[in-house]
Amino acid sequence: MSKPFENIWILSIALILGFLLWLHVATDKTYNYRLALPVVVVELGDRLTLADSPADSVTVLVSATGKQLLRRQWRHRGVRILAAHLPVGRHAFGLTPSNTLLVDPGDDIMISEIIAPKSVQLNVDQIGKAQVKVIPNIEAVAADGYVVRPIYEPDPPVVSVAGARLRIKHLGTVSTEATRLTGLRESLRIIVPLVRPVDFSMTLEPESVAVTIEVVPATTRVFAAVPIQVRNAPSGASASTEPPAVEIELAGVPQEIDTLSPTALTAWTDFMQLDAESRSSIRIDCPPGMVVRRTSAASARIFLR
């Protein structure tokens, strides 16, 4: 009499071999699979590019073996559209399996049908180049006792932009990526990437610039009796404040703060920001690179006549 589970290993091996045989046969068959693929390349003629972004993706029917469908790498590579024969202008370009191809699909994979969209709008333009100014988008804050000189020009101050002529002629500047630096005690030079224009076809050369930020020990100077202005007062009314002026202690670069005119400072308060006691905070406008260390009053009472 045989014991229970006496042949369990033989049965298990037989089941595994049967499954592997089924899997081999099943994945060796050709299937049609529907999926959306990104449009990554639109191939145009020499010296031509797109002035507008094409469709983000195309839904297609792919014919492939089960083994190929299990490999996901080719799906992320997207499709390329062959449109090298198109001249400059706007075109409603019909998509077919002959002009819409998988990017590096490997063997046994092909697009058998375009599901949607059946056509795409392609705005073809000549490639142009221009030199545009770089605007640093950098906030540099020094540590106590130090100040930052106004940020130097980026190096290089202009970069080359290539893309559709229609778009480039409206591009005046490019900016660096937003960068914030705090607690600075010494000068530094940083490499900052540029923000690539959102246009589909534009490229930058170079793609980053160097910016030098000079940090020096601060010198302080006191400006007495700077008049307080009232902004946004009612039309026709005469506004005054109590106190009428404020003392300002300013920190800055020694050579610059020593020659700074008191008229370069503006103390003001906003009538629209009055609190229940008819007071509004005092704000100070000063030249770039200067830091307000102290004021003799934080707010002022506003009177109307």
Side-chain angles (χ1 to χ4, degrees):
M1 182 175 179
S2 62
K3 298 179 182 179
F5 309 112
E6 182 178 10
N7 299 319
I8 188 67
W9 295 110
I10 297 176
L11 291 174
S12 298
I13 293 172
L15 287 172
I16 292 172
L17 291 175
F19 173 76
L20 291 176
L21 178 61
W22 172 85
L23 184 63
H24 171 73
V25 173
T27 57
D28 209 39
K29 293 181 179 179
T30 299
Y31 298 89
N32 289 324
Y33 187 64
R34 175 174 174 160
L35 73 165
L37 298 174
V39 176
V40 296
V41 178
V42 178
E43 297 184 4
L44 300 170
D46 291 341
R47 305 299 303 165
L48 296 179
T49 187
L50 290 180
D52 297 316
S53 299
D56 292 332
S57 63
V58 176
T59 300
V60 299
L61 198 65
V62 173
S63 177
T65 65
K67 290 184 178 68
Q68 290 285 4
L69 291 174
L70 290 174
R71 299 172 186 171
R72 294 183 173 273
Q73 294 89 338
W74 61 270
R75 305 186 191 189
H76 304 296
R77 295 176 186 142
V79 298
R80 57 193 181 101
I81 297 174
L82 308 182
H85 64 286
L86 293 181
V88 172
R90 293 183 178 272
H91 308 275
F93 185 74
L95 300 180
T96 67
S98 61
N99 61 30
T100 306
L101 308 178
L102 296 170
V103 176
D104 192 19
D107 298 332
D108 304 324
I109 304 180
M110 60 180 295
I111 294 176
S112 58
E113 183 182 350
I114 306 296
I115 304 298
K118 294 292 187 182
S119 68
V120 293
Q121 294 294 322
L122 299 181
N123 187 4
V124 181
D125 195 4
Q126 292 184 340
I127 295 176
K129 289 188 176 181
Q131 299 291 311
V132 297
K133 184 178 180 180
V134 177
I135 305 298
N137 184 12
I138 298 174
E139 181 185 1
V141 181
D144 287 344
Y146 297 84
V147 290
V148 176
R149 284 184 183 271
I151 296 175
Y152 282 40
E153 271 197 341
D155 179 22
V158 297
V159 295
S160 177
V161 181
R165 291 192 308 174
L166 178 66
R167 303 303 181 199
I168 284 181
K169 70 178 183 180
H170 298 297
L171 185 68
T173 62
V174 294
S175 70
T176 65
E177 290 185 358
T179 304
R180 188 172 191 271
L181 306 169
T182 61
L184 301 181
R185 295 178 179 271
E186 58 184 20
S187 300
L188 70 160
R189 181 179 174 89
I190 59 175
I191 304 298
V192 191
L194 298 174
V195 177
R196 194 175 76 86
V198 295
D199 187 271
F200 173 77
S201 62
M202 284 191 187
T203 60
L204 296 172
E205 178 61 40
E207 296 182 340
S208 60
V209 296
V211 178
T212 299
I213 301 171
E214 189 173 357
V215 181
V216 298
T219 294
T220 60
R221 179 182 170 190
V222 175
F223 295 82
V226 177
I228 301 174
Q229 302 176 5
V230 178
R231 297 181 180 177
N232 298 319
S235 178
S238 176
S240 61
T241 64
E242 177 57 42
V246 66
E247 182 181 272
I248 302 172
E249 182 180 349
L250 203 63
V253 177
Q255 300 90 327
E256 296 175 1
I257 200 168
D258 290 342
T259 59
L260 184 66
S261 170
T263 58
L265 299 178
T266 303
W268 60 279
T269 188
D270 191 344
F271 182 83
M272 301 299 293
Q273 301 296 322
L274 286 179
D275 61 17
E277 298 179 350
S278 297
R279 302 188 70 89
S280 181
S281 60
I282 298 172
R283 305 176 191 181
I284 309 298
D285 292 339
C286 59
M290 304 291 179
V291 178
V292 177
R293 294 296 189 196
R294 178 186 60 83
T295 59
S296 58
S299 64
R301 190 184 300 274
I302 298 178
F303 301 93
L304 293 180
R305 293 193 303 274

